Amino acid sequence: MPDPAAAPRPHRAPKALGGLAALACVACCALPVLITAGVVGAGAGAVVGWLPALAVVLGVLAAGTWWLCQRRGSCSCSSLAKTAGGDGCGCKASGEPLKITGGDRRA
């Protein structure tokens, strides 16, 4: 049985912000119609002016959070092995100890 604590958690912030941006877009289009029909009071007209700006800000925040979440690298050995040329992080099943080298440092 896989360990649920070790599994990566899905990022909810971009989805939540994107959903709020979509809700603001729908409200921006629906409120004038609802005000005209008399379903919502005229006081909601003060909110209608701010909804396009709110929708844009929420959309930008959703895109930014999604981008930041995608940029963060995974800590799994499979992703490191691809970038490090095969051995990567030393998570092989062999009993050999991990060899740490200093590389070509120039002082």
Side-chain angles (χ1 to χ4, degrees):
M1 177 180 233
D3 184 18
R9 294 184 348 194
H11 301 287
R12 294 181 185 163
K15 291 179 184 177
L17 288 170
L20 287 174
L23 183 64
C25 287
V26 168
C28 179
C29 296
L31 271 178
V33 174
L34 293 174
I35 291 170
T36 305
V39 176
V40 180
V47 178
V48 174
W50 289 95
L51 284 176
L54 180 66
V56 168
V57 168
L58 287 171
V60 168
L61 283 174
T65 358
W66 176 83
W67 180 73
L68 284 174
C69 291
Q70 294 299 316
R71 243 186 99 127
R72 291 183 181 169
S74 173
C75 293
S76 68
C77 288
S78 61
S79 66
L80 290 174
K82 292 176 187 172
T83 59
D87 294 344
C89 62
C91 294
K92 297 185 287 185
S94 68
E96 299 175 15
L98 179 62
K99 188 179 203 180
I100 300 174
T101 61
D104 292 318
R105 290 180 146 183
R106 294 184 183 179

